Amino acid sequence: MISSRQFFAIYSGAVTLAFAGVVLLGARRPAQNTSFDQITVHRINVVEPDGTTRMVLSNNAEFPGAYYLGKEYPRTDRDATGMLFNDEEGTENGGLIFGGKKDKNGVTHSWGHLSFDEYQRDQTMVLESNSDGASRNTYYALNDDDRPYSLTPQFSAEWQRVKAMPPGPARVAASQAWHTKYPGGIVNRGYFGRGRDKSVTLSLKDQQGRERLVASVGPDGAPRIDFLDASGKVIRSISSDTK
């Protein structure tokens, strides 16, 4: 006859073997795919197996701040809905945001922005559209970011403090001090878009951001090509009247 001590020993061993079997079978079981007809969420985080956030799809209320090396930092100046893209290291490197509303005066506003960033730098390619009432601007731009440093959380926080200041001499002084501390920045190298005056322009610039060639069609439909020197002076023009 089995004693109570032997019974509990056998019982414990059987439970242990059963648990190990469940764990091993579960570990070998392939990942399950689930299909939905509809899903309603506030935010979706796409992460790597190690937990690194690679993409966020979110509403305005849950939209993240800025990611830097796998950690999220607050951005009080970010008011967006859309997607945020991160690189393999968990640092922001682009996004797609959009929105639209009517203000208290009945004026309509809408915007859309798609951008891709350089490694730990700011945006290098931008497709953007903005409208305020009857005024509309749509453009595509290629940029260079010549900052000799990364866009760290400290960099962002200091700029947010400047932007949050009320207009006036103190804000101007703070902005100048910030730009002195962080020299360089985005240099627009190429621009193609519709201006608020309803003209369409292609602008090509040198490495210093100086406009050197401008091809445009004015709001009256007249085409024109201007060549400029380094000081911005037009040195040659070609228009429909040029012979």
Side-chain angles (χ1 to χ4, degrees):
M1 187 173 182
I2 300 176
S3 67
S4 58
R5 180 176 296 178
Q6 291 174 320
F7 171 79
F8 283 115
I10 294 171
Y11 174 79
S12 299
V15 170
T16 301
L17 288 173
F19 176 75
V22 170
V23 171
L24 290 174
L25 289 174
R28 294 183 178 181
R29 187 175 59 187
Q32 298 297 307
N33 293 322
T34 303
S35 298
F36 297 93
D37 291 325
Q38 292 188 26
I39 181 170
T40 301
V41 299
H42 294 161
R43 173 169 161 170
I44 296 175
N45 301 319
V46 178
V47 302
E48 297 291 353
D50 64 358
T52 301
T53 301
R54 295 300 307 279
M55 186 178 77
V56 178
L57 173 64
S58 177
N59 64 8
N60 185 282
E62 300 292 335
F63 203 84
Y67 284 93
Y68 184 76
L69 297 179
K71 186 176 179 180
E72 182 182 349
Y73 294 87
R75 275 194 59 172
T76 56
D77 61 336
R78 176 162 277 171
D79 181 15
T81 299
M83 291 189 292
L84 189 69
F85 312 134
N86 289 345
D87 63 19
E88 285 81 354
E89 298 174 355
T91 298
E92 181 179 335
N93 70 338
L96 167 65
I97 59 175
F98 53 89
K101 63 182 178 181
K102 183 181 290 186
D103 64 24
K104 61 182 181 180
N105 298 317
V107 179
T108 58
H109 306 272
S110 66
W111 58 92
H113 173 101
L114 172 64
S115 63
F116 299 95
D117 304 345
E118 189 180 355
Y119 176 75
Q120 293 193 2
R121 297 288 195 274
D122 215 332
Q123 54 203 22
T124 57
M125 185 176 76
V126 180
L127 177 63
E128 185 167 307
S129 178
N130 297 282
S131 68
D132 299 288
S135 179
R136 182 159 56 92
N137 173 242
T138 301
Y139 68 88
Y140 166 76
L142 292 173
N143 302 321
D144 277 343
D145 187 356
D146 67 347
R147 295 184 180 94
Y149 45 82
S150 299
L151 302 185
T152 63
Q154 178 183 356
F155 168 94
S156 178
E158 291 183 17
W159 179 239
Q160 289 175 57
R161 284 195 289 270
V162 174
K163 291 177 65 177
M165 296 175 65
R171 178 174 176 173
V172 172
S175 178
Q176 291 175 342
W178 185 88
H179 282 93
T180 299
K181 182 177 181 180
Y182 298 106
I186 291 180
V187 175
N188 177 244
R189 296 298 307 279
Y191 168 97
F192 172 70
R194 177 189 187 276
R196 295 186 181 276
D197 63 352
K198 299 184 180 181
S199 63
V200 177
T201 302
L202 170 64
S203 172
L204 303 180
K205 304 179 182 182
D206 60 22
Q207 290 184 335
Q208 288 71 45
R210 297 174 299 201
E211 210 163 38
R212 304 304 297 269
L213 185 149
V214 179
S216 63
V217 176
D220 59 353
R224 180 186 179 93
I225 301 177
D226 290 332
F227 299 86
L228 301 89
D229 63 17
S231 67
K233 180 182 178 181
V234 176
I235 55 178
R236 185 184 179 191
S237 292
I238 301 175
S239 68
S240 56
D241 299 328
T242 302
K243 296 181 180 180

